[in-house]
Amino acid sequence: MDFELSDEQRAIKAEVQRFADNEIRPVATEHDTAESFPHEVMDKAADAGLLGPGIPMAYGGAGYSPVEVAIIVEELFAADPGIGLCVASAGFGAEAITAFGTDDQKRRFLEPVTAGDAIMGSAISEPDTGSDVASVSATAEKDGDEWIIDGNKMWITNGSVGDYFVVLCRTDPDASGRYEGFSQIVVESDRDGFTAEKITGKLGIRASDTAELVLDAVRVPEENLIGTRGGGFLQLMQFFDETRTTVAAQGVGIARGATERALAYAQEREQFGQPVAEFQAIQHKLAEMQTKTEAARTLTRKSAWSVDHRDDQLTALASMAKSFASRIAVEVADEAVQIHGGAGYVNDFDVERFYRDAKITQLYEGTTEIQKNVIAREMMD
């Protein structure tokens, strides 16, 4: 594995950093405070080719590798995790369509995302079902050439702004195996019976839209089924290998952004007649923050490389990267606030927001505890 970025990857990194500095950072506090979705930033992100960057070029995407997507996500989250998530998740669920969808599905559902004409999402969790994915109760019943879908989905990213969602549901409730009988079906938000209620009052990532979805006898055509009927759970496990790696990159971005801001503040803030960065206690904090961030980045990029090469360590690496990088994000953001002192406790400084935003990386796409279960299971297999 080559740790050196190619010239193209360095150019991608620099371009995304410019975009983030010019378009995201100036409005980050505004959207966090108002809990408002950054539509104008999204339009600019579409023009910059940042929506669905991993989507193949044949369907309007840039076709970036998983390592390059990790680089992009880190840059976005180092600028602001809330708006960074909006940009990074515009094509959330595209992985399933890319891997298992038909050519028609790819053209219908992927091309509008990369063009900035649509936002999509993945609908898995339910009010009573989080970590135990096999307990999903939403159902899809075949009626002629249509599926009739009923159920509630909770904590859905892009829930009230999305145009369509990849919905996990039971298509064969009498299937004998615990992990059988599930399918993923695309549901458009403008269909009768579909409603979304935005969730407010979140601890962090407030610019990102989160909602509860209610599907009341929603009818969709049979061609919206992704892959084979009953194959949804296995599709989802592959999806998690990719998305958990992406969350790890989010954690790296948060840790890096918090470290950069802490360093800048420590070099400017004076106490006892000198910048606080001159005190050894602060230097040790900064050194630990930088070291932890670099370690998380290395593990994350190895996981991304594994996604690209589909090697046999992928599932374990994705969970390792997600678990480790999310913990580092929380720890580093905490230290960044500590270095700011009282100033870090108000939103005059970005670290207050980073501290709140970091926690979500330990929760979504599988909690830290679930990641440890996965790692241990992979060790013993």
Side-chain angles (χ1 to χ4, degrees), residues 260-293:
E260 290 172 349
R261 286 158 175 82
L263 174 61
Y265 182 83
Q267 290 174 324
E268 295 172 3
R269 172 69 166 168
E270 291 192 0
Q271 289 287 277
F272 303 101
Q274 63 182 9
V276 298
E278 296 299 320
F279 293 102
Q280 188 179 64
I282 300 300
Q283 292 176 357
H284 284 185
K285 286 183 182 295
L286 291 167
E288 283 291 325
M289 293 159 70
Q290 183 79 344
T291 301
K292 289 177 178 179
T293 302

mmCIF file of all heavy atoms in Angstrom, residues 260-293:
data_model
loop_
_atom_site.group_PDB
_atom_site.id
_atom_site.type_symbol
_atom_site.label_atom_id
_atom_site.label_comp_id
_atom_site.label_asym_id
_atom_site.label_seq_id
_atom_site.Cartn_x
_atom_site.Cartn_y
_atom_site.Cartn_z
ATOM 1 N N GLU A 260 -6.587 21.993 14.091
ATOM 2 C CA GLU A 260 -6.149 23.214 13.412
ATOM 3 C C GLU A 260 -6.641 24.457 14.140
ATOM 4 O O GLU A 260 -5.890 25.434 14.310
ATOM 5 C CB GLU A 260 -6.648 23.212 11.968
ATOM 6 C CG GLU A 260 -5.963 22.183 11.089
ATOM 7 C CD GLU A 260 -6.593 22.066 9.712
ATOM 8 O OE1 GLU A 260 -7.682 22.630 9.486
ATOM 9 O OE2 GLU A 260 -5.985 21.392 8.848
ATOM 10 N N ARG A 261 -7.876 24.434 14.585
ATOM 11 C CA ARG A 261 -8.427 25.599 15.276
ATOM 12 C C ARG A 261 -7.816 25.781 16.656
ATOM 13 O O ARG A 261 -7.579 26.904 17.105
ATOM 14 C CB ARG A 261 -9.951 25.472 15.350
ATOM 15 C CG ARG A 261 -10.623 25.727 13.994
ATOM 16 C CD ARG A 261 -11.997 25.093 13.942
ATOM 17 N NE ARG A 261 -12.716 25.400 12.709
ATOM 18 C CZ ARG A 261 -12.537 24.762 11.563
ATOM 19 N NH1 ARG A 261 -11.629 23.800 11.472
ATOM 20 N NH2 ARG A 261 -13.254 25.097 10.501
ATOM 21 N N ALA A 262 -7.542 24.676 17.342
ATOM 22 C CA ALA A 262 -6.906 24.755 18.650
ATOM 23 C C ALA A 262 -5.486 25.322 18.540
ATOM 24 O O ALA A 262 -5.061 26.139 19.372
ATOM 25 C CB ALA A 262 -6.880 23.380 19.307
ATOM 26 N N LEU A 263 -4.761 24.872 17.527
ATOM 27 C CA LEU A 263 -3.411 25.380 17.312
ATOM 28 C C LEU A 263 -3.431 26.878 17.030
ATOM 29 O O LEU A 263 -2.643 27.643 17.613
ATOM 30 C CB LEU A 263 -2.748 24.629 16.157
ATOM 31 C CG LEU A 263 -1.378 25.142 15.704
ATOM 32 C CD1 LEU A 263 -0.358 25.049 16.838
ATOM 33 C CD2 LEU A 263 -0.898 24.368 14.473
ATOM 34 N N ALA A 264 -4.312 27.304 16.138
ATOM 35 C CA ALA A 264 -4.394 28.727 15.793
ATOM 36 C C ALA A 264 -4.737 29.573 17.015
ATOM 37 O O ALA A 264 -4.149 30.643 17.245
ATOM 38 C CB ALA A 264 -5.439 28.934 14.697
ATOM 39 N N TYR A 265 -5.672 29.086 17.833
ATOM 40 C CA TYR A 265 -6.066 29.831 19.030
ATOM 41 C C TYR A 265 -4.916 29.885 20.032
ATOM 42 O O TYR A 265 -4.632 30.945 20.625
ATOM 43 C CB TYR A 265 -7.282 29.184 19.674
ATOM 44 C CG TYR A 265 -7.786 29.916 20.895
ATOM 45 C CD1 TYR A 265 -8.626 31.019 20.768
ATOM 46 C CD2 TYR A 265 -7.403 29.517 22.179
ATOM 47 C CE1 TYR A 265 -9.081 31.707 21.887
ATOM 48 C CE2 TYR A 265 -7.847 30.192 23.308
ATOM 49 C CZ TYR A 265 -8.688 31.291 23.152
ATOM 50 O OH TYR A 265 -9.130 31.972 24.259
ATOM 51 N N ALA A 266 -4.229 28.763 20.207
ATOM 52 C CA ALA A 266 -3.133 28.709 21.180
ATOM 53 C C ALA A 266 -1.984 29.627 20.788
ATOM 54 O O ALA A 266 -1.282 30.167 21.659
ATOM 55 C CB ALA A 266 -2.627 27.272 21.314
ATOM 56 N N GLN A 267 -1.796 29.838 19.501
ATOM 57 C CA GLN A 267 -0.725 30.723 19.035
ATOM 58 C C GLN A 267 -1.096 32.201 19.172
ATOM 59 O O GLN A 267 -0.217 33.070 19.217
ATOM 60 C CB GLN A 267 -0.368 30.394 17.591
ATOM 61 C CG GLN A 267 0.332 29.047 17.433
ATOM 62 C CD GLN A 267 0.546 28.659 15.981
ATOM 63 O OE1 GLN A 267 -0.296 28.933 15.107
ATOM 64 N NE2 GLN A 267 1.657 28.002 15.702
ATOM 65 N N GLU A 268 -2.396 32.481 19.242
ATOM 66 C CA GLU A 268 -2.860 33.867 19.345
ATOM 67 C C GLU A 268 -3.146 34.292 20.784
ATOM 68 O O GLU A 268 -2.885 35.434 21.166
ATOM 69 C CB GLU A 268 -4.130 34.051 18.511
ATOM 70 C CG GLU A 268 -3.924 33.878 17.018
ATOM 71 C CD GLU A 268 -5.239 33.867 16.251
ATOM 72 O OE1 GLU A 268 -6.302 34.052 16.888
ATOM 73 O OE2 GLU A 268 -5.189 33.671 15.023
ATOM 74 N N ARG A 269 -3.688 33.394 21.574
ATOM 75 C CA ARG A 269 -4.106 33.704 22.940
ATOM 76 C C ARG A 269 -2.897 33.824 23.867
ATOM 77 O O ARG A 269 -2.060 32.913 23.918
ATOM 78 C CB ARG A 269 -5.032 32.594 23.447
ATOM 79 C CG ARG A 269 -5.407 32.674 24.918
ATOM 80 C CD ARG A 269 -6.305 33.822 25.211
ATOM 81 N NE ARG A 269 -6.895 33.677 26.546
ATOM 82 C CZ ARG A 269 -7.544 34.649 27.170
ATOM 83 N NH1 ARG A 269 -7.688 35.841 26.595
ATOM 84 N NH2 ARG A 269 -8.063 34.432 28.361
ATOM 85 N N GLU A 270 -2.811 34.937 24.582
ATOM 86 C CA GLU A 270 -1.692 35.150 25.494
ATOM 87 C C GLU A 270 -2.141 35.098 26.944
ATOM 88 O O GLU A 270 -3.201 35.603 27.300
ATOM 89 C CB GLU A 270 -1.003 36.490 25.207
ATOM 90 C CG GLU A 270 -0.262 36.522 23.884
ATOM 91 C CD GLU A 270 0.647 37.733 23.754
ATOM 92 O OE1 GLU A 270 0.686 38.557 24.707
ATOM 93 O OE2 GLU A 270 1.325 37.854 22.717
ATOM 94 N N GLN A 271 -1.316 34.441 27.742
ATOM 95 C CA GLN A 271 -1.495 34.413 29.193
ATOM 96 C C GLN A 271 -0.104 34.467 29.831
ATOM 97 O O GLN A 271 0.855 33.887 29.285
ATOM 98 C CB GLN A 271 -2.218 33.149 29.634
ATOM 99 C CG GLN A 271 -3.700 33.100 29.260
ATOM 100 C CD GLN A 271 -4.549 34.032 30.109
ATOM 101 O OE1 GLN A 271 -4.947 33.716 31.210
ATOM 102 N NE2 GLN A 271 -4.821 35.206 29.564
ATOM 103 N N PHE A 272 -0.004 35.160 30.945
ATOM 104 C CA PHE A 272 1.277 35.289 31.638
ATOM 105 C C PHE A 272 2.364 35.821 30.712
ATOM 106 O O PHE A 272 3.525 35.424 30.779
ATOM 107 C CB PHE A 272 1.700 33.950 32.256
ATOM 108 C CG PHE A 272 0.676 33.375 33.204
ATOM 109 C CD1 PHE A 272 -0.164 32.353 32.779
ATOM 110 C CD2 PHE A 272 0.539 33.867 34.493
ATOM 111 C CE1 PHE A 272 -1.118 31.828 33.630
ATOM 112 C CE2 PHE A 272 -0.405 33.343 35.359
ATOM 113 C CZ PHE A 272 -1.245 32.325 34.928
ATOM 114 N N GLY A 273 1.950 36.704 29.782
ATOM 115 C CA GLY A 273 2.902 37.397 28.934
ATOM 116 C C GLY A 273 3.410 36.623 27.740
ATOM 117 O O GLY A 273 4.372 37.039 27.079
ATOM 118 N N GLN A 274 2.782 35.499 27.398
ATOM 119 C CA GLN A 274 3.225 34.741 26.221
ATOM 120 C C GLN A 274 2.061 33.941 25.646
ATOM 121 O O GLN A 274 1.078 33.678 26.350
ATOM 122 C CB GLN A 274 4.369 33.798 26.581
ATOM 123 C CG GLN A 274 4.004 32.721 27.597
ATOM 124 C CD GLN A 274 5.194 31.835 27.947
ATOM 125 O OE1 GLN A 274 6.317 32.115 27.570
ATOM 126 N NE2 GLN A 274 4.945 30.758 28.661
ATOM 127 N N PRO A 275 2.143 33.564 24.354
ATOM 128 C CA PRO A 275 1.078 32.735 23.776
ATOM 129 C C PRO A 275 0.958 31.424 24.547
ATOM 130 O O PRO A 275 1.987 30.846 24.954
ATOM 131 C CB PRO A 275 1.558 32.492 22.343
ATOM 132 C CG PRO A 275 2.503 33.614 22.057
ATOM 133 C CD PRO A 275 3.187 33.917 23.360
ATOM 134 N N VAL A 276 -0.258 30.945 24.722
ATOM 135 C CA VAL A 276 -0.428 29.708 25.488
ATOM 136 C C VAL A 276 0.212 28.522 24.776
ATOM 137 O O VAL A 276 0.497 27.492 25.409
ATOM 138 C CB VAL A 276 -1.918 29.426 25.800
ATOM 139 C CG1 VAL A 276 -2.501 30.541 26.659
ATOM 140 C CG2 VAL A 276 -2.723 29.220 24.532
ATOM 141 N N ALA A 277 0.461 28.656 23.483
ATOM 142 C CA ALA A 277 1.136 27.586 22.739
ATOM 143 C C ALA A 277 2.562 27.379 23.216
ATOM 144 O O ALA A 277 3.173 26.339 22.929
ATOM 145 C CB ALA A 277 1.140 27.886 21.244
ATOM 146 N N GLU A 278 3.110 28.327 23.947
ATOM 147 C CA GLU A 278 4.467 28.195 24.455
ATOM 148 C C GLU A 278 4.536 27.340 25.722
ATOM 149 O O GLU A 278 5.613 26.931 26.137
ATOM 150 C CB GLU A 278 5.055 29.589 24.735
ATOM 151 C CG GLU A 278 5.220 30.460 23.497
ATOM 152 C CD GLU A 278 6.167 29.852 22.485
ATOM 153 O OE1 GLU A 278 7.198 29.291 22.900
ATOM 154 O OE2 GLU A 278 5.868 29.910 21.278
ATOM 155 N N PHE A 279 3.375 27.081 26.315
ATOM 156 C CA PHE A 279 3.381 26.269 27.531
ATOM 157 C C PHE A 279 3.441 24.780 27.162
ATOM 158 O O PHE A 279 2.724 24.306 26.279
ATOM 159 C CB PHE A 279 2.134 26.550 28.377
ATOM 160 C CG PHE A 279 2.111 27.939 28.959
ATOM 161 C CD1 PHE A 279 1.341 28.938 28.396
ATOM 162 C CD2 PHE A 279 2.886 28.254 30.074
ATOM 163 C CE1 PHE A 279 1.317 30.219 28.917
ATOM 164 C CE2 PHE A 279 2.879 29.537 30.619
ATOM 165 C CZ PHE A 279 2.093 30.519 30.032
ATOM 166 N N GLN A 280 4.271 24.059 27.876
ATOM 167 C CA GLN A 280 4.479 22.652 27.546
ATOM 168 C C GLN A 280 3.185 21.843 27.660
ATOM 169 O O GLN A 280 2.935 20.940 26.856
ATOM 170 C CB GLN A 280 5.555 22.053 28.451
ATOM 171 C CG GLN A 280 5.969 20.646 28.027
ATOM 172 C CD GLN A 280 7.044 20.067 28.921
ATOM 173 O OE1 GLN A 280 6.818 19.845 30.111
ATOM 174 N NE2 GLN A 280 8.224 19.829 28.360
ATOM 175 N N ALA A 281 2.351 22.170 28.636
ATOM 176 C CA ALA A 281 1.098 21.439 28.810
ATOM 177 C C ALA A 281 0.229 21.524 27.557
ATOM 178 O O ALA A 281 -0.378 20.534 27.128
ATOM 179 C CB ALA A 281 0.335 21.973 30.018
ATOM 180 N N ILE A 282 0.188 22.700 26.947
ATOM 181 C CA ILE A 282 -0.600 22.887 25.726
ATOM 182 C C ILE A 282 0.079 22.197 24.554
ATOM 183 O O ILE A 282 -0.578 21.569 23.713
ATOM 184 C CB ILE A 282 -0.794 24.390 25.433
ATOM 185 C CG1 ILE A 282 -1.530 25.072 26.591
ATOM 186 C CG2 ILE A 282 -1.553 24.581 24.120
ATOM 187 C CD1 ILE A 282 -2.909 24.501 26.871
ATOM 188 N N GLN A 283 1.408 22.280 24.495
ATOM 189 C CA GLN A 283 2.132 21.614 23.416
ATOM 190 C C GLN A 283 1.901 20.101 23.446
ATOM 191 O O GLN A 283 1.739 19.468 22.394
ATOM 192 C CB GLN A 283 3.628 21.914 23.519
ATOM 193 C CG GLN A 283 3.975 23.364 23.237
ATOM 194 C CD GLN A 283 5.456 23.643 23.441
ATOM 195 O OE1 GLN A 283 6.227 22.773 23.838
ATOM 196 N NE2 GLN A 283 5.853 24.885 23.162
ATOM 197 N N HIS A 284 1.861 19.542 24.628
ATOM 198 C CA HIS A 284 1.626 18.104 24.746
ATOM 199 C C HIS A 284 0.219 17.742 24.272
ATOM 200 O O HIS A 284 0.012 16.704 23.620
ATOM 201 C CB HIS A 284 1.825 17.654 26.190
ATOM 202 C CG HIS A 284 3.259 17.571 26.589
ATOM 203 N ND1 HIS A 284 3.681 17.097 27.807
ATOM 204 C CD2 HIS A 284 4.397 17.910 25.910
ATOM 205 C CE1 HIS A 284 5.005 17.135 27.871
ATOM 206 N NE2 HIS A 284 5.461 17.636 26.730
ATOM 207 N N LYS A 285 -0.742 18.577 24.598
ATOM 208 C CA LYS A 285 -2.110 18.337 24.114
ATOM 209 C C LYS A 285 -2.138 18.356 22.590
ATOM 210 O O LYS A 285 -2.714 17.465 21.944
ATOM 211 C CB LYS A 285 -3.066 19.391 24.674
ATOM 212 C CG LYS A 285 -3.427 19.243 26.144
ATOM 213 C CD LYS A 285 -4.428 20.309 26.554
ATOM 214 C CE LYS A 285 -4.773 20.223 28.032
ATOM 215 N NZ LYS A 285 -5.479 18.964 28.367
ATOM 216 N N LEU A 286 -1.543 19.377 22.007
ATOM 217 C CA LEU A 286 -1.541 19.511 20.548
ATOM 218 C C LEU A 286 -0.818 18.332 19.889
ATOM 219 O O LEU A 286 -1.257 17.816 18.852
ATOM 220 C CB LEU A 286 -0.889 20.829 20.138
ATOM 221 C CG LEU A 286 -1.677 22.095 20.491
ATOM 222 C CD1 LEU A 286 -0.806 23.325 20.319
ATOM 223 C CD2 LEU A 286 -2.934 22.209 19.630
ATOM 224 N N ALA A 287 0.274 17.907 20.494
ATOM 225 C CA ALA A 287 1.034 16.776 19.940
ATOM 226 C C ALA A 287 0.196 15.499 19.952
ATOM 227 O O ALA A 287 0.195 14.726 18.972
ATOM 228 C CB ALA A 287 2.324 16.571 20.731
ATOM 229 N N GLU A 288 -0.508 15.264 21.045
ATOM 230 C CA GLU A 288 -1.372 14.089 21.141
ATOM 231 C C GLU A 288 -2.519 14.165 20.131
ATOM 232 O O GLU A 288 -2.874 13.158 19.489
ATOM 233 C CB GLU A 288 -1.936 13.970 22.561
ATOM 234 C CG GLU A 288 -0.951 13.424 23.574
ATOM 235 C CD GLU A 288 -0.620 11.958 23.342
ATOM 236 O OE1 GLU A 288 -1.509 11.199 22.912
ATOM 237 O OE2 GLU A 288 0.542 11.576 23.569
ATOM 238 N N MET A 289 -3.100 15.325 19.974
ATOM 239 C CA MET A 289 -4.205 15.514 19.032
ATOM 240 C C MET A 289 -3.753 15.217 17.606
ATOM 241 O O MET A 289 -4.433 14.525 16.845
ATOM 242 C CB MET A 289 -4.755 16.943 19.144
ATOM 243 C CG MET A 289 -5.431 17.225 20.482
ATOM 244 S SD MET A 289 -5.550 18.991 20.872
ATOM 245 C CE MET A 289 -6.778 19.534 19.664
ATOM 246 N N GLN A 290 -2.583 15.740 17.254
ATOM 247 C CA GLN A 290 -2.058 15.531 15.902
ATOM 248 C C GLN A 290 -1.725 14.059 15.668
ATOM 249 O O GLN A 290 -2.012 13.502 14.598
ATOM 250 C CB GLN A 290 -0.809 16.386 15.698
ATOM 251 C CG GLN A 290 -0.208 16.326 14.301
ATOM 252 C CD GLN A 290 -0.955 17.185 13.297
ATOM 253 O OE1 GLN A 290 -2.090 17.604 13.544
ATOM 254 N NE2 GLN A 290 -0.330 17.462 12.168
ATOM 255 N N THR A 291 -1.125 13.419 16.674
ATOM 256 C CA THR A 291 -0.742 12.012 16.547
ATOM 257 C C THR A 291 -1.971 11.124 16.390
ATOM 258 O O THR A 291 -2.012 10.230 15.529
ATOM 259 C CB THR A 291 0.068 11.573 17.773
ATOM 260 O OG1 THR A 291 1.240 12.396 17.887
ATOM 261 C CG2 THR A 291 0.483 10.113 17.660
ATOM 262 N N LYS A 292 -2.983 11.351 17.218
ATOM 263 C CA LYS A 292 -4.207 10.560 17.139
ATOM 264 C C LYS A 292 -4.905 10.745 15.790
ATOM 265 O O LYS A 292 -5.413 9.781 15.201
ATOM 266 C CB LYS A 292 -5.158 10.955 18.267
ATOM 267 C CG LYS A 292 -4.698 10.510 19.651
ATOM 268 C CD LYS A 292 -5.667 11.012 20.726
ATOM 269 C CE LYS A 292 -5.256 10.531 22.111
ATOM 270 N NZ LYS A 292 -6.176 11.028 23.160
ATOM 271 N N THR A 293 -4.915 11.973 15.299
ATOM 272 C CA THR A 293 -5.552 12.243 14.012
ATOM 273 C C THR A 293 -4.846 11.524 12.882
ATOM 274 O O THR A 293 -5.474 10.931 12.003
ATOM 275 C CB THR A 293 -5.588 13.765 13.734
ATOM 276 O OG1 THR A 293 -6.301 14.418 14.788
ATOM 277 C CG2 THR A 293 -6.254 14.066 12.408
#
